[in-house]
Amino acid sequence: MPGFEIDTSELRRLQTDLGKIPAKVVAPAEAVLKKAAQVLKDNMAAEFEGSPHFKRVGAAVSYERRGFAREIAYEIGPEIGRGAGSLAGIAVDGGANGGGGSVKVDHLLEPEAVAIEKHMLDVLGDAL
Protein backbone atom coordinates (compact mmCIF):
# COMPACT_ATOMS: atom_id res chain seq x y z
CA MET A 1 0.00 0.00 0.00
CA PRO A 2 1.67 3.23 -1.10
CA GLY A 3 1.95 6.08 1.44
CA PHE A 4 1.63 9.77 0.86
CA GLU A 5 3.15 12.92 2.35
CA ILE A 6 1.54 16.18 3.26
CA ASP A 7 3.72 19.29 3.26
CA THR A 8 2.77 21.28 6.37
CA SER A 9 5.66 23.75 6.25
CA GLU A 10 3.40 26.63 5.21
CA LEU A 11 1.05 25.87 8.09
CA ARG A 12 3.99 25.93 10.50
CA ARG A 13 5.09 29.32 9.11
CA LEU A 14 1.54 30.61 9.47
CA GLN A 15 1.43 29.37 13.05
CA THR A 16 4.70 31.17 13.80
CA ASP A 17 3.49 34.39 12.15
CA LEU A 18 0.16 34.30 14.01
CA GLY A 19 2.03 33.72 17.27
CA LYS A 20 3.84 37.04 16.75
CA ILE A 21 0.64 39.08 16.45
CA PRO A 22 -0.04 39.61 20.19
CA ALA A 23 3.37 41.19 20.69
CA LYS A 24 2.74 43.53 17.75
CA VAL A 25 -0.72 44.50 18.96
CA VAL A 26 -0.23 45.22 22.66
CA ALA A 27 1.33 48.70 22.36
CA PRO A 28 -1.06 50.07 19.71
CA ALA A 29 -4.07 48.53 21.50
CA GLU A 30 -2.88 50.15 24.73
CA ALA A 31 -2.78 53.52 22.96
CA VAL A 32 -6.32 53.09 21.60
CA LEU A 33 -7.73 52.14 25.00
CA LYS A 34 -5.85 54.90 26.85
CA LYS A 35 -7.23 57.52 24.44
CA ALA A 36 -10.73 56.10 24.86
CA ALA A 37 -10.35 56.20 28.66
CA GLN A 38 -9.33 59.87 28.45
CA VAL A 39 -12.28 60.72 26.20
CA LEU A 40 -14.71 58.92 28.53
CA LYS A 41 -13.18 60.63 31.56
CA ASP A 42 -13.54 64.06 29.97
CA ASN A 43 -17.10 63.40 28.80
CA MET A 44 -18.14 61.98 32.17
CA ALA A 45 -16.63 64.93 34.02
CA ALA A 46 -18.55 67.27 31.67
CA GLU A 47 -21.82 65.47 32.47
CA PHE A 48 -21.28 65.97 36.20
CA GLU A 49 -20.13 69.58 35.72
CA GLY A 50 -23.31 70.28 33.75
CA SER A 51 -25.47 69.36 36.74
CA PRO A 52 -26.52 72.21 39.00
CA HIS A 53 -26.32 70.01 42.11
CA PHE A 54 -23.41 67.67 41.37
CA LYS A 55 -20.97 69.82 39.36
CA ARG A 56 -18.16 69.31 41.92
CA VAL A 57 -18.17 65.55 41.25
CA GLY A 58 -16.65 66.27 37.83
CA ALA A 59 -13.29 67.16 39.39
CA ALA A 60 -13.13 63.69 40.99
CA VAL A 61 -13.53 61.76 37.71
CA SER A 62 -10.38 59.90 36.69
CA TYR A 63 -9.22 56.72 35.04
CA GLU A 64 -6.81 54.02 36.10
CA ARG A 65 -5.13 51.29 34.09
CA ARG A 66 -5.85 47.77 35.30
CA GLY A 67 -4.37 44.47 34.23
CA PHE A 68 -0.85 43.20 33.72
CA ALA A 69 1.37 42.83 30.64
CA ARG A 70 -0.95 41.66 27.84
CA GLU A 71 -4.15 42.23 29.80
CA ILE A 72 -5.32 45.80 29.25
CA ALA A 73 -8.26 47.39 31.03
CA TYR A 74 -9.21 50.84 32.29
CA GLU A 75 -11.49 51.78 35.15
CA ILE A 76 -13.15 55.15 34.61
CA GLY A 77 -15.28 57.12 37.03
CA PRO A 78 -15.37 59.37 40.08
CA GLU A 79 -12.96 58.44 42.85
CA ILE A 80 -14.78 57.79 46.10
CA GLY A 81 -13.20 59.88 48.86
CA ARG A 82 -11.65 62.40 46.45
CA GLY A 83 -13.43 65.75 46.61
CA ALA A 84 -17.13 65.28 45.95
CA GLY A 85 -16.53 61.90 44.29
CA SER A 86 -18.49 60.14 47.02
CA LEU A 87 -21.66 61.83 45.76
CA ALA A 88 -21.41 60.17 42.33
CA GLY A 89 -23.62 57.24 43.29
CA ILE A 90 -26.39 59.58 44.39
CA ALA A 91 -25.91 61.76 41.31
CA VAL A 92 -26.32 58.79 38.96
CA ASP A 93 -28.59 56.36 40.84
CA GLY A 94 -30.40 58.62 43.29
CA GLY A 95 -30.53 58.47 47.06
CA ALA A 96 -32.33 56.04 49.35
CA ASN A 97 -34.92 58.68 50.22
CA GLY A 98 -35.30 60.05 46.71
CA GLY A 99 -33.44 62.88 45.07
CA GLY A 100 -30.43 62.69 42.81
CA GLY A 101 -30.40 60.42 39.82
CA SER A 102 -30.17 63.44 37.55
CA VAL A 103 -26.76 62.76 35.98
CA LYS A 104 -26.75 60.27 33.10
CA VAL A 105 -23.47 58.63 32.07
CA ASP A 106 -24.50 55.38 30.38
CA HIS A 107 -25.07 57.09 27.03
CA LEU A 108 -21.36 57.96 26.88
CA LEU A 109 -20.29 54.35 26.37
CA GLU A 110 -21.90 53.47 23.03
CA PRO A 111 -20.26 56.13 20.84
CA GLU A 112 -16.86 55.43 22.36
CA ALA A 113 -17.33 51.66 21.95
CA VAL A 114 -17.90 52.23 18.22
CA ALA A 115 -14.71 54.32 18.01
CA ILE A 116 -12.72 51.70 19.95
CA GLU A 117 -13.96 48.94 17.65
CA LYS A 118 -12.95 50.90 14.54
CA HIS A 119 -9.48 51.70 15.87
CA MET A 120 -8.88 48.18 17.16
CA LEU A 121 -9.79 46.75 13.74
CA ASP A 122 -7.21 49.11 12.24
CA VAL A 123 -4.62 47.92 14.76
CA LEU A 124 -5.36 44.26 14.00
CA GLY A 125 -5.35 44.92 10.27
CA ASP A 126 -1.90 46.50 10.53
CA ALA A 127 -0.64 43.51 12.54
CA LEU A 128 -1.81 40.99 9.98
Side-chain angles (χ1 to χ4, degrees):
M1 180 172 233
F4 63 91
E5 274 186 43
I6 298 176
D7 181 10
T8 60
S9 61
E10 289 184 32
L11 287 174
R12 285 194 298 275
R13 278 195 300 273
L14 176 63
Q15 178 184 8
T16 301
D17 290 345
L18 290 175
K20 294 176 184 177
I21 289 175
K24 292 179 185 178
V25 171
V26 171
E30 172 80 35
V32 167
L33 293 176
K34 184 173 184 177
K35 182 175 183 347
Q38 182 66 46
V39 168
L40 283 169
K41 173 199 165 294
D42 293 344
N43 291 343
M44 188 179 293
E47 287 291 322
F48 283 109
E49 290 164 359
S51 167
H53 304 292
F54 298 104
K55 63 178 71 185
R56 290 185 22 228
V57 176
V61 177
S62 67
Y63 67 87
E64 181 179 353
R65 186 188 190 284
R66 300 288 181 152
F68 301 98
R70 293 183 178 180
E71 180 183 321
I72 305 167
Y74 282 88
E75 184 175 315
I76 306 151
E79 291 182 46
I80 305 302
R82 178 178 163 213
S86 298
L87 296 174
I90 295 171
V92 173
D93 298 323
N97 297 319
S102 59
V103 179
K104 306 297 179 210
V105 294
D106 291 343
H107 71 282
L108 302 173
L109 299 175
E110 184 62 32
E112 200 55 37
V114 170
I116 291 170
E117 181 179 14
K118 179 196 172 300
H119 294 299
M120 291 300 261
L121 286 172
D122 292 343
V123 166
L124 291 172
D126 292 346
L128 295 175

